[in-house]
Every structure is written in structure tokens, then in C-alpha cells.
């Protein structure tokens, strides 16, 4: 199983002060050193965390693989085509959302998605669409001509009671099986953490997980004691 580490929230902390620290590019180097398969970032239309500068530097610096999540926004598409990261994952985006709320509505937007996919592929960029674990949607995914789908694990991650978790896990398993049978590569992500990731990582059709918030959140706790000790020593 490949791990793509989403480092958006290193940039969220930077943007809380609008300065140049902590730098997501430096964070990416540590994630690579720790064995990450690749780095994922979401270049949002409101640039609330990741900015063009980050994408450009990551693309120039990484020794592994850069996956950039983008919406169908024309200006962002133009920028991405100039940078040419290894991969792009198309996601829906609402300005007011706290995080990506669901998969793409490929029933409604199949033509615009297909056009963007073709433009990205023409630049040698691998393409993924973020999609709900829904059989009817997945059956239409090959029409988008994408290399892979990323199944949204958000509802599974949000599920609280055991029965609900089982239902959502079964949906993920069925979706992954169906996608593979349609010759699509299968990725998954959203909301995965240290408590819920194992059953998803055991789904044989899934090749890649993209995980961000829980890893960056945990990094604060596993690193906080040392950071405090170092400051005490200094003062
Ligand atoms: N996959 C997609 C398509 C996403 O939009 C996100 C969040 O940016 C993730 C994975 C990672 O989600 P999380 O930060 O909850 O691990």
C-alpha cells in the first residue's frame, strides 16, 4: 500500500500568521525521508493553505511523487499545466466548505471532467477523480478517461456506531472491487486516522491512501514534548 501524505495543514499553520514558517516544502522532505510514497496538496481557489509557490517548489524539490488536488477552475488548470506535477486529483470545491465535502458529481459534469482530464493527460499528468463509493457513479468513471479513482472514505471515517462503520466499510469494498473490474486503479482517502485506517488498508484493490489531517495532527503531539524541552533549554 502506498501512502501519499497530504501536507495542506502545515500550510494552514503558516497561513495563521501569514509568514514563511512552517514551510510545507520542508515538511514534505521529512515525509519523504520517513518513507512516504508521495506528497499530496490541495491548491484551493481561495489559497487558504497551499499556494502556487508551494506547488512549484514541491515539484522542483520532491524526489518522490507530487499529487495536486484541484477543482475544474480554469485559472488553476492553466497554472497546473505549466507546472506539470506527476498527478492531479480532480475534486469538487465549495468556497465555504471546511474541507472537501464529497466526491465529484460525474453524472452532471462528465463533459467538463473529460475535457480537463484530456488537457492534463496531454501534459503527461496522471489523472484521478475523487468519487463517492457508489456503484452507479463508478460505472461512469471510465467515460472520464482517468487513470485512477480516489474513493471518498469520508462517510466511513465519520461513522460512529459499529453497524454504520460496517455498512460504510462494505460500500468501500464493493466500490473498490467494481472499479478494479472496470480496469481503474483505485486510491482512497479522506478522514482516515490511526484508529480507522487498518480495515481500509486491507482492501486488496486499493493501491494508494492519501492521508493528511490525522498525520499532521499527530505530529504535533509526538513532537510537542521535544519542542518544549528545546525552548526551555534555550531560555
Ligand atoms: N483525498 C482528498 C481528495 C482530499 O480532498 C483530502 C483532503 O484534502 C484528503 C484525501 C486527505 O484527507 P484528510 O486530511 O482528512 O486525511
Amino acid at each position: 500500500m502506498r501512502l501519499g501524505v497530504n501536507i495542506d495543514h502545515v500550510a494552514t499553520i503558516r497561513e495563521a500568521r501569514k509568514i514563511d514558517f512552517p514551510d510545507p516544502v520542508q515538511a514534505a522532505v521529512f515525509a519523504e525521508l520517513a518513507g512516504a510514497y508521495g506528497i499530496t496538496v490541495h491548491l484551493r481557489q481561495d489559497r487558504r493553505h497551499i499556494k502556487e509557490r508551494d506547488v512549484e517548489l514541491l515539484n522542483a524539490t520532491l524526489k518522490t511523487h507530487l499529487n495536486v488536488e484541484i477543482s475544474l477552475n480554469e485559472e488553476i488548470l492553466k497554472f497546473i499545466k505549466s507546472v506539470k506535477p506527476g498527478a492531479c486529483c480532480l475534486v469538487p470545491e465549495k468556497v465555504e466548505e471546511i474541507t472537501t465535502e464529497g466526491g465529484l458529481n460525474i453524472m452532471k459534469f462528465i463533459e467538463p471532467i473529460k475535457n480537463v482530464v484530456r488537457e492534463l493527460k496531454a501534459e503527461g499528468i496522471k489523472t484521478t477523480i475523487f468519487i463517492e463509493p457508489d456503484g452507479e457513479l463508478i460505472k461512469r468513471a471510465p467515460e472520464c478517461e482517468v487513470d485512477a479513482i480516489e474513493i471518498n472514505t469520508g462517510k466511513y471515517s465519520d461513522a460512529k456506531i459499529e453497524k454504520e462503520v460496517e455498512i460504510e466499510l462494505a460500500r468501500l469494498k464493493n466500490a473498490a472491487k467494481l472499479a478494479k473490474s472496470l480496469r481503474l486503479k483505485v486510491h482512497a482517502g479522506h478522514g482516515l486516522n490511526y484508529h480507522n485506517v487498518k480495515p481500509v488498508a486491507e482492501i486488496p484493490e486499493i493501491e494508494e491512501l492519501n492521508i493528511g489531517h490525522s498525520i499532521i495532527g499527530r505530529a504535533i503531539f509526538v513532537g510537542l514534548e521535544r519542542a518544549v524541552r528545546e525552548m526551555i533549554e534555550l531560555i
Side-chain angles (χ1 to χ4, degrees), residues 57-155:
L57 281 179
L58 285 167
N59 201 49
T61 313
L62 290 185
K63 300 286 177 270
T64 57
H65 175 79
L66 178 62
N67 172 40
V68 186
E69 298 170 1
I70 58 167
S71 62
L72 301 179
N73 176 276
E74 262 179 45
E75 180 213 346
I76 292 197
L77 181 64
K78 193 169 159 218
F79 167 73
I80 281 298
K81 280 164 51 184
S82 73
V83 176
K84 302 187 204 339
C88 260
C89 180
L90 300 179
V91 299
E93 200 177 294
K94 283 194 229 149
V95 174
E96 69 279 11
E97 71 191 0
I98 291 172
T99 181
T100 314
E101 285 176 351
L104 277 171
N105 183 346
I106 63 170
M107 300 294 194
K108 194 167 165 198
F109 298 112
I110 201 141
E111 281 309 313
I113 294 171
K114 203 190 314 185
N115 291 339
V116 170
V117 167
R118 284 182 178 166
E119 285 190 49
L120 292 169
K121 279 181 145 179
E123 302 294 339
I125 302 168
K126 285 209 165 16
T127 54
T128 309
I129 46 173
F130 190 50
I131 190 170
E132 291 300 312
D134 174 316
E136 292 312 305
L137 288 173
I138 290 171
K139 279 185 204 151
R140 303 286 306 271
E143 290 173 51
C144 299
E145 301 174 12
V146 282
D147 297 295
I149 62 166
E150 178 166 325
I151 299 173
N152 183 8
T153 53
K155 288 208 179 76

Side-chain angles (χ1 to χ4, degrees), residues 15-30:
E15 292 310 309
R17 286 287 169 94
K18 304 266 178 232
I19 52 173
D20 61 4
F21 177 85
D23 189 336
V25 182
Q26 287 184 316
V29 174
F30 284 103

Side-chain angles (χ1 to χ4, degrees), residues 6 8 42 69 91 99-100 130 150 189-192 210-213:
N6 182 315
D8 289 348
H42 186 169
E69 298 170 1
V91 299
T99 181
T100 314
F130 190 50
E150 178 166 325
H190 210 277
L192 295 174
N210 283 299
I211 307 179
H213 187 267

